[in-house]
């Protein structure tokens, strides 16, 4: 077995938390159950990984198998990576039958024709997700297995989720290979990024609970606002205000859990509005400013702002439109016209 | 009765019993909280300031998160001749003790303790240095 493969497997196993190693190796399926029985999972990880490498040696593992183990690790710990969303466009309306073998062949063919030194690995999951791992090399260097890119493609959708490696220069090539393989004619990066892959999927596949406009206003259910199990001797003077805020919040965010995003970024290119007599910023130039909201769970915290009394309800549509517009990066420019107001650029 | 600010919504006027004690809660971690209380004070009838108002400063356990200076709050208490209590709601022991103190004050303000009235608080507020 190649020394580099051995080292790569050793390092991959070291990344796995000790309690998870056995399950992951079972998922991998490269080592037999009998071989797994011989492993002592109660020793320090260094020793476990050495034993695993030993067994892989017996089975003559190559980089292909090692790459699959890496995909399995990254599939389970997908939230450690930062994912971007790309949308592909078809030229016509033809509904083509998706053939996975054809896809793989075209993808590999396109990449390899441009770059000889690449390691390409595929793994399909039950939810129609195709995971692709690409380790990039150069015409003179073997692929760097430690900085791969990951692509997640749901074949029934035009969306691709990419966790690029640091080597961003390979991105155009990757995009090209994707559209060729999937029979689309264009691909563009959406302004949507997060660590939570599932939340990104929820947003673009519209799987989160949205609020649908109804024509009959529902009668207010008092039970929604605060649990009445609190002492009935406590009287909330501002109940109607609390209910108004709750109702507006429900309209803006819907009733269910929000997709998990870590930040929203607004790049302002608007004019600075001040008292003309103050003479601040004489130059009539846009005032460049970047506003970034970060949170472990941005949308839930935005949802709780008004009920917590920290913001007025309704919240600015710039904040509440994030899941609907499927973006968390915004550019705000002046609206040119009679009434100069800021507007969100597409 | 809990309210987020004053004045109280007028639609509930006929539901409301007599008010014996107003406790203004100031979160030491929030400047907004202090501003809100200062704005609400303007809506309180002058007669309440004869012992029926008290300031409760919460969150004092988290020293790193203080946004309001204790001086500012004490000054507020002096201006309005009302006691200022400090507590930390996240600690159950202090929470219970503070509740007991407030309850005691309420009993006095409501006239349930013979011989002691809310006016006693005002005289207790006077600093011995003043004389």
């Amino acid at each position: 077995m190649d020394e580099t493969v051995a080292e790569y497997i050793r390092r991959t196993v070291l990344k796995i938390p000790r309690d998870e190693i056995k399950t992951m190796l079972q998922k991998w399926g490269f080592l037999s159950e009998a071989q797994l029985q011989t492993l002592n999972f109660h020793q320090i990880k260094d020793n476990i990984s050495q034993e695993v490498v030993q067994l892989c040696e017996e089975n003559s593992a190559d980089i292909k198998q090692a790459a699959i183990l890496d995909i399995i690790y990254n599939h389970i710990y997908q939230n450690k990576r930062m994912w971007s969303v790309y949308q592909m466009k078809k030229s016509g309306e033809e509904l083509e039958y998706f053939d996975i073998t054809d896809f793989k062949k075209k993808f590999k063919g396109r990449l390899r024709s441009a770059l000889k030194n690449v390691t390409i690995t595929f793994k399909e999951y039950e939810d129609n997700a195709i995971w692709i791992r690409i380790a990039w090399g150069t015409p003179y260097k073997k692929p760097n297995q430690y900085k791969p890119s990951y692509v997640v493609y749901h074949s029934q959708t035009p969306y691709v989720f990419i966790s690029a490696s640091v080597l961003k220069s390979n991105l155009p090539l990757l995009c090209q290979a994707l559209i060729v393989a999937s029979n689309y004619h264009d691909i563009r990066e959406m302004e949507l990024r997060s660590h939570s892959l599932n939340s990104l999927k929820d947003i673009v596949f519209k799987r989160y609970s949205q609020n649908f406009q109804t024509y009959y206003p529902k009668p207010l259910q008092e039970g929604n606002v605060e649990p009445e199990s609190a002492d009935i001797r406590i009287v909330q003077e501002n109940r109607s205000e609390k209910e108004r805020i709750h109702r507006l919040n429900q309209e803006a965010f819907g009733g269910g859990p929000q997709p998990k995003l870590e930040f929203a970024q607004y790049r302002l290119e608007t004019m600075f509005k001040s008292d003309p007599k103050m003479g601040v910023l004489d130059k009539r130039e846009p005032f460049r400013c970047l506003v970034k909201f970060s949170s472990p769970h941005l949308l839930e915290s935005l949802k709780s702002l008004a009920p917590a009394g920290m913001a007025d309800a309704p919240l600015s549509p710039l904040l509440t439109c994030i899941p609907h517009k499927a973006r968390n990066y915004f550019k705000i420019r002046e609206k040119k016209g009679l009434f100069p107001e800021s507007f969100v650029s597409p | 009765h809990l309210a987020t600010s004053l004045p109280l919504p007028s639609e509930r006027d006929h539901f409301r019993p007599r008010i014996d004690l107003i406790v203004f809660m100031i979160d030491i971690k929030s400047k907004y909280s202090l501003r809100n209380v200062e704005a609400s004070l303007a809506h309180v009838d002058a007669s309440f300031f004869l012992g029926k108002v008290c300031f409760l400063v919460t969150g004092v356990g988290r020293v790193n998160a203080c946004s309001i200076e204790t001086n500012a709050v004490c000054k507020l208490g002096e201006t309005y001749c009302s006691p200022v209590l400090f507590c930390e709601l996240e600690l159950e022991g202090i929470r219970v003790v503070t509740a007991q103190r407030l309850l005691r004050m309420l009993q006095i303000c409501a006239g349930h303790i013979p011989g002691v009235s809310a006016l006693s608080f005002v005289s207790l507020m006077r600093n011995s240095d003043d004389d």
Side-chain angles (χ1 to χ4, degrees), chain A residues 12-287:
Chain A
T12 308
V13 174
L14 274 179
K15 280 199 294 192
I16 308 171
R18 199 162 63 152
D19 301 331
E20 307 285 320
I21 297 180
K22 183 162 185 193
T23 350
M24 223 174 280
L25 291 176
Q26 280 168 334
K27 280 204 175 85
W28 188 29
F30 179 66
L31 300 175
S32 70
E33 194 57 43
Q35 283 174 309
L36 288 178
Q37 297 289 359
T38 68
L39 285 170
N40 173 12
F41 294 102
H42 298 294
Q43 51 186 336
I44 58 168
K45 277 209 291 187
D46 252 341
N47 295 352
I48 301 179
S49 58
Q50 293 286 15
E51 285 185 15
V52 170
V53 170
Q54 205 84 325
L55 292 173
C56 291
E57 179 83 54
E58 284 171 23
N59 292 12
S60 310
D62 64 12
I63 191 61
K64 281 208 204 358
Q65 272 87 27
I68 294 187
L69 180 62
D70 184 51
I71 291 189
I72 293 173
Y73 173 82
N74 279 284
H75 177 254
I76 294 176
Y77 294 101
Q78 53 192 236
N79 296 343
K80 287 193 175 198
R81 305 192 71 94
M82 176 67 90
W83 298 91
S84 307
V85 190
Y86 289 73
Q87 186 178 23
M88 298 191 285
K89 286 198 180 61
K90 261 201 209 301
S91 44
E93 281 301 326
E94 333 91 55
L95 285 165
E96 280 161 29
Y97 172 67
F98 178 78
D99 180 22
I100 180 80
T101 332
D102 189 51
F103 174 83
K104 289 186 197 176
K105 205 169 79 159
K106 285 198 185 139
F107 185 81
K108 281 195 284 208
R110 193 73 189 83
L111 275 188
R112 291 221 169 100
S113 66
L115 201 59
K116 264 204 304 265
N117 282 325
V118 272
T119 312
I120 306 169
T121 322
F122 297 89
K123 185 156 169 60
E124 291 134 73
Y125 282 90
E126 317 76 50
D127 56 347
N128 277 326
I130 304 166
W131 276 63
I132 316 174
R133 175 188 180 277
I134 306 118
W136 306 93
T138 69
Y140 310 104
K141 276 204 310 223
K142 284 182 68 169
N144 182 348
Q145 301 298 338
Y146 295 93
K147 295 210 165 91
S149 304
Y150 298 88
V151 175
V152 180
Y153 175 46
H154 284 251
S155 53
Q156 306 305 316
T157 76
Y159 295 104
V160 184
F161 306 89
I162 301 183
S163 177
S165 67
V166 194
L167 312 165
K168 289 220 161 59
S169 52
N170 293 309
L171 211 50
L173 181 56
L174 177 57
C175 290
Q176 227 184 29
L178 280 167
I179 50 181
V180 162
S182 54
N183 291 317
Y184 281 83
H185 90 282
D186 194 16
I187 181 169
R188 71 168 186 110
E189 183 175 3
M190 294 175 69
E191 301 288 349
L192 183 63
R193 267 159 235 138
S194 173
H195 281 282
S196 169
L197 181 59
N198 272 338
S199 292
L200 291 175
K201 290 186 192 184
D202 285 344
I203 292 176
V204 292
F205 300 157
K206 305 246 179 275
R207 299 193 300 212
Y208 62 99
S209 69
Q210 298 173 79
N211 198 53
F212 296 100
Q213 291 277 26
T214 51
Y215 289 103
Y216 342 88
K218 276 204 293 256
L220 264 174
Q221 291 148 295
E222 297 233 349
N224 283 345
V225 185
E226 308 243 357
E228 286 288 354
S229 58
D231 198 327
I232 48 169
R233 290 173 297 178
I234 299 175
V235 177
Q236 296 277 2
E237 287 284 344
N238 308 93
R239 162 158 280 137
S240 54
E241 177 63 13
K242 278 191 166 50
E243 281 168 0
R244 183 189 78 98
I245 291 176
H246 182 82
R247 182 174 45 85
L248 287 173
N249 236 29
Q250 290 283 89
E251 279 174 17
F253 291 96
Q258 301 294 310
K260 193 161 191 238
L261 296 174
E262 297 90 41
F263 49 84
Q265 188 174 291
Y266 299 83
R267 191 171 288 277
L268 302 177
E269 283 166 16
T270 49
M271 303 301 280
F272 186 75
K273 292 185 175 67
S274 74
D275 188 347
K277 289 197 282 272
M278 281 175 67
V280 179
L281 291 184
D282 290 333
K283 291 191 245 183
R284 302 300 292 159
E285 249 179 33
F287 185 75

